[in-house]
């Protein structure tokens, strides 16, 4: 029996990898040789956050070690490109065929489908991706682009099919959705839990040294403490179950200067790498609910994020690719302001959120959506510039998750395919959900004038500018109705101040 090769991509670090299983079934473990490629060209595609690079490369190296411990022969190749790494491997080992699992990203999958066989010169078996539940069950198999799919109904179908938080045909607790119980602002005296920390071992330290020496990318590596193995990622999940899940639901949308992660799970970096799988997290929180350790609004809220939003976003990505990259339904053309790269702005909320993104590569969902994307949508920032900034700055960022979240949900640039309404809000929302406004030089109550918060005049300017389009959207009716309180003089003042502010932003973004 000849050698069988398995190429495992860096974000496919699954304990039970289908390509490994298929190769082993064909020729026995002793004939399997696994390849992991660290491509320099891919690393430099964006100025990625250094913490993300260390997380990715350290997790890949630990995964290679874990496979060796399980008896597999593994090559970890660092090369200029994937093509060079694959050719080097095939030349060295002369395998007779190659197994690989479909990439979750469009470019990677297109490479596997159209170029890989030619590059390796042997038969390639491309197996379906198993990292998403929607790969096992598609709630809308005959979907056509002329019909919009609403996340809520997608999510209910997923709950029914996978029998998650269900009592027969009815949802556990009686309701499908506890959204209204997920919007409490944070009490001043509440204790905020620390996240688990994982000290770098020698493998991680070597990667930290390499990434620091390369000098590429954004952000800081100080105090790197992320999980880099499946065991550590499972420990991080366990910590979430014990210390954060009970309050996750109530304070899911809250924002504070005092703490970065609140009661969020911070599991997206590990899920997106394959160190954790969605169903094991869903089952973990279901067990916590059954044991009476967490209330329904927290458990349903978390399940909604994983089985609802995450799966829906991946599904939307594959529905909308590659066209989504060209979408710009609000005709937004302004360059990304320079302060996105250094956090130097008087807007206290944006300052804090960007500063945290730069130092840690993490913001929670509402900060990404209602602070950063809200600002970019109101200010008319060019969608792909925003997308690329997000792609560079977050430790959990991948093409499949970024495009529908940024262009779809955050900027509504896809014409409302991902989200039925643009998520826009004035300073009132940011003040209601957090404490950023307290320490800000702008006044969150003033609509215009020297001290007015820019979120206010930009918000009202956006409504004025797009009144007709917004009026046609039933979910935004009440917002547009607010325009009747603005007389001509106030409309002129809002427009004038918004224009002045936007003109002041137009400085080029560093490359
Ligand atoms: C503009 C924008 C950009 C985003 N970029 C990313 C990204 O690059 N990578 C990423 O994984 N998520 C992204 N999200 C979704 C979400 O903000 C993050 O998944 C979440 O903040 C990660 O932190 P957490 O693990 O503490 O999440 P929690 O609040 O604890 O939520 C639990 C899990 O739900 C999943 N989830 C929730 N919402 C989404 C969503 N909209 N899309 C995909 N998964 C979701 C994540 O896996 C997350 O770990 C983005 C959202 C927006 C609005």
């Amino acid at each position: 029996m000849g050698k069988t090769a398995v190429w495992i991509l860096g974000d496919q670090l699954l304990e039970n990898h289908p390509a490994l299983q298929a190769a082993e079934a064909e020729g026995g473990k002793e004939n399997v040789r696994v390849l992991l490629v660290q491509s320099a060209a891919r690393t430099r595609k964006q100025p990625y956050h250094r913490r993300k690079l260390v997380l990715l490369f350290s997790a890949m190296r630990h995964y290679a070690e874990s496979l060796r411990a399980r008896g597999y022969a593994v090559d970890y190749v660092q090369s200029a490109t994937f093509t060079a790494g694959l050719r080097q491997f095939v030349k060295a080992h002369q395998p007779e065929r190659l197994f690989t699992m479909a990439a979750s990203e469009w470019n990677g999958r297109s490479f596997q489908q159209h170029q890989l066989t030619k590059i390796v010169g042997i038969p390639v078996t491309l197996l379906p991706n198993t990292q998403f539940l929607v790969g096992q069950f598609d709630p809308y198999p005959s979907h056509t682009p002329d019909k919009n799919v609403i996340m809520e109904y997608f999510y209910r179908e997923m709950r029914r099919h996978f029998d998650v938080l269900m009592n027969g045909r009815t949802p556990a607790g009686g309701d499908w959705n506890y959204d209204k119980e997920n919007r409490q602002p944070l009490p001043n005296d509440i204790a905020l839990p620390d996240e688990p920390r994982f000290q770098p071992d020698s493998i991680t330290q070597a990667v930290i040294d390499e990434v620091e020496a390369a000098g590429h990318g954004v952000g800081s590596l100080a105090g790197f403490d992320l999980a880099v193995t499946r065991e550590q990622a499972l420990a991080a999940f366990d910590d979430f179950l014990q210390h954060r899940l009970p309050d996750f639901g109530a304070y899911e949308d809250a924002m504070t200067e005092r703490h970065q992660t609140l009661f969020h799970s911070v599991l997206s970096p590990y899920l997106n790498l394959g160190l954790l799988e969605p169903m094991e997290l869903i089952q973990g929180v279901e067990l916590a609910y059954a044991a009476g350790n967490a209330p329904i609004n927290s458990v349903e809220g978390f399940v909604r994020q994983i089985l609802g939003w995450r799966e829906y976003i991946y599904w939307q990505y594959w529905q909308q690719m590659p066209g989504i990259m060209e979408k710009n339904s609000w005709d937004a053309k302004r360059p990304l302001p320079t302060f996105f790269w250094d956090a130097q702005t008087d807007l206290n909320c944006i300052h804090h959120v960007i500063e945290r993104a730069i130092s840690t590569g993490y913001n929670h969902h509402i900060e990404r959506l209602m602070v950063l994307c809200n600002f970019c949508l109101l200010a008319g920032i060019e969608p792909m510039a925003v997308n690329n900034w997000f792609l560079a700055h977050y430790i959990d960022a991948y093409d499949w998750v970024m495009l529908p979240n940024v262009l779809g949900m955050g900027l509504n640039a896809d014409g409302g395919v991902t989200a039925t309404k643009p998520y826009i809000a004035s300073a009132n929302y940011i003040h209601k959900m957090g404490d950023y406004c307290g320490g800000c030089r702008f006044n969150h109550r003033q609509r215009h004038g020297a001290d007015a918060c820019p979120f206010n005049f930009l918000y009202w300017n956006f409504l004025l500018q797009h009144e007709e389009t917004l009026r046609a959207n039933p979910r935004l009716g009440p917002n547009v109705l607010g325009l009747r309180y603005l007389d001509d003089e106030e409309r002129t003042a809002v427009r004038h101040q918004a224009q002045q502010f936007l003109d002041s932003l137009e400085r080029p973004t560093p490359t």
Side-chain angles (χ1 to χ4, degrees):
M1 178 65 67
K3 282 250 178 285
T4 307
V6 174
W7 179 31
I8 296 184
L9 308 190
D11 62 351
Q12 299 183 343
L13 308 181
L14 295 166
E15 188 175 39
N16 298 310
H17 197 288
L20 268 182
Q21 289 164 349
E24 196 173 328
E26 186 164 285
K29 193 181 269 184
E30 62 283 6
N31 284 311
V32 174
R33 186 164 274 274
V34 180
L35 169 68
L36 287 122
V37 183
Q38 187 180 314
S39 152
R42 181 70 184 83
T43 309
R44 286 178 176 268
K45 206 168 163 191
Q46 297 284 343
Y48 292 113
H49 202 291
R50 296 184 181 99
R51 282 167 79 82
K52 181 188 181 183
L53 295 179
V54 171
L55 168 66
L56 174 66
F57 299 149
S58 175
M60 284 170 70
R61 291 177 200 192
H62 280 93
Y63 182 75
E65 284 304 317
S66 76
L67 292 184
R68 287 184 189 117
R70 283 164 58 185
Y72 293 98
V74 182
D75 279 26
Y76 187 96
V77 174
Q78 289 180 254
S79 59
T81 60
F82 285 120
T83 303
L86 284 156
R87 288 209 169 110
Q88 178 187 327
F89 173 81
V90 169
K91 196 170 164 204
H93 301 293
Q94 309 277 316
E96 286 177 7
R97 63 182 300 180
L98 176 81
F99 287 88
T100 188
M101 181 173 84
S104 47
E105 302 189 344
W106 198 84
N107 280 334
R109 196 173 297 183
S110 163
F111 176 82
Q112 289 170 317
Q113 286 170 334
H114 306 299
Q115 297 178 47
L116 187 56
T117 306
K118 216 168 132 199
I119 289 165
V120 293
I122 51 173
V124 171
T125 304
L126 183 59
L127 296 157
N129 186 294
T130 61
Q131 291 173 278
F132 298 87
L133 295 163
V134 78
Q136 292 167 38
F137 168 68
D138 182 348
Y140 298 93
S142 45
H143 174 67
T144 49
D146 55 319
K147 286 219 161 61
N148 274 9
V149 167
I150 306 214
M151 199 300 278
E152 179 66 27
Y153 298 116
F154 176 99
Y155 166 60
R156 291 182 191 181
E157 291 301 324
M158 295 292 275
R159 288 255 308 263
R160 284 194 191 96
H161 177 83
F162 289 100
D163 194 20
V164 171
L165 288 181
M166 297 296 294
N167 293 324
R169 296 298 290 167
T170 46
D175 288 316
W176 285 105
N177 178 323
Y178 294 84
D179 240 9
K180 289 197 188 77
E181 292 168 46
N182 292 355
R183 294 179 191 146
Q184 286 184 39
L186 208 63
N188 283 334
D189 54 357
I190 196 166
L192 293 166
D194 281 336
E195 276 170 77
R197 300 208 147 88
F198 302 94
Q199 284 307 313
D201 63 5
S202 58
I203 295 180
T204 304
Q205 193 52 54
V207 181
I208 291 174
D209 296 344
E210 269 173 44
V211 170
E212 259 167 4
H216 181 71
V218 296
S220 149
L221 278 173
F224 181 93
D225 57 4
L226 295 169
V228 289
T229 63
R230 174 162 165 79
E231 292 67 34
Q232 290 178 339
L234 283 169
F237 178 46
D238 198 48
D239 184 89
F240 169 67
L241 287 176
Q242 285 190 38
H243 303 296
R244 286 166 283 156
L245 177 64
D247 286 317
F248 172 84
Y251 307 116
E252 202 178 332
D253 287 3
M255 298 184 277
T256 179
E257 268 185 17
R258 285 187 281 144
H259 199 269
Q260 171 160 9
T261 50
L262 290 89
F263 297 96
H264 290 273
S265 69
V266 199
L267 294 173
S268 51
Y270 315 132
L271 260 176
N272 296 352
L273 280 178
L275 293 177
L276 297 174
E277 296 202 52
M279 192 43 90
E280 66 187 339
L281 303 191
I282 290 167
Q283 286 169 347
V285 297
E286 275 195 305
L287 280 176
Y289 178 57
N293 294 338
I296 187 70
N297 67 322
S298 285
V299 172
E300 188 282 321
F302 187 76
V303 166
R304 164 179 299 267
Q305 302 310 308
I306 304 277
L307 188 62
W309 280 111
R310 184 170 188 269
E311 297 290 334
Y312 174 75
I313 286 290
Y314 183 71
W315 185 84
Q316 280 290 359
Y317 175 76
W318 284 100
Q319 295 294 322
Q320 295 194 58
M321 274 303 277
I324 189 172
M325 292 190 291
E326 312 288 321
K327 293 283 158 61
N328 190 355
S329 65
W330 298 95
D331 200 22
K333 298 201 174 107
R334 210 157 264 118
L336 194 70
T338 323
F339 61 69
F340 269 76
W341 299 88
D342 58 16
Q344 295 308 308
T345 167
D346 287 348
L347 280 130
N348 197 39
C349 54
I350 296 191
H351 166 72
H352 270 279
V353 171
I354 294 182
E355 199 171 58
R356 282 174 178 165
I358 294 172
S359 58
T360 68
Y362 179 90
N363 292 132
H364 72 69
H365 186 73
I366 292 301
E367 294 174 333
R368 298 185 203 204
L369 183 66
M370 298 310 294
V371 176
L372 299 183
C373 280
N374 182 22
F375 177 85
C376 290
L377 176 54
L378 296 177
I381 311 296
E382 199 261 307
M384 279 309 278
V386 183
N387 184 74
N388 291 343
W389 183 88
F390 270 83
L391 207 45
H393 280 78
Y394 291 97
I395 50 173
D396 55 11
Y398 296 88
D399 206 45
W400 66 264
V401 68
M402 204 45 92
L403 281 164
N405 267 311
V406 174
L407 269 79
M409 198 176 181
L411 302 179
N412 199 252
D414 65 351
V417 175
T418 307
T420 45
K421 65 165 190 176
Y423 284 91
I424 48 171
S426 66
N428 189 35
Y429 176 88
I430 295 169
H431 177 251
K432 195 172 74 183
M433 292 316 302
D435 55 15
Y436 290 128
C437 300
C440 189
R441 89 156 184 80
F442 296 112
N443 184 333
H444 69 274
R445 286 205 185 82
Q446 269 183 21
R447 204 173 271 161
H448 56 89
D451 295 331
C453 172
F455 272 102
N456 286 342
F457 51 77
L458 290 178
Y459 173 79
W460 290 102
N461 180 59
F462 189 87
L463 294 192
L464 286 169
Q465 208 181 342
H466 301 290
E467 185 173 353
E468 232 174 275
T469 319
L470 294 170
R471 217 176 265 287
N473 184 322
R475 291 192 68 196
L476 277 172
N479 303 49
V480 188
L481 284 179
L483 280 175
R484 68 173 182 251
Y485 301 113
L486 270 68
D487 60 22
D488 283 349
E489 202 179 317
E490 216 176 353
R491 287 171 185 235
T492 307
V494 161
R495 283 199 177 101
H496 179 69
Q497 193 167 4
Q499 195 54 53
Q500 262 190 340
F501 176 82
L502 293 172
D503 289 345
S504 77
L505 294 179
E506 294 203 347
R507 281 176 285 153
T509 305
T511 49

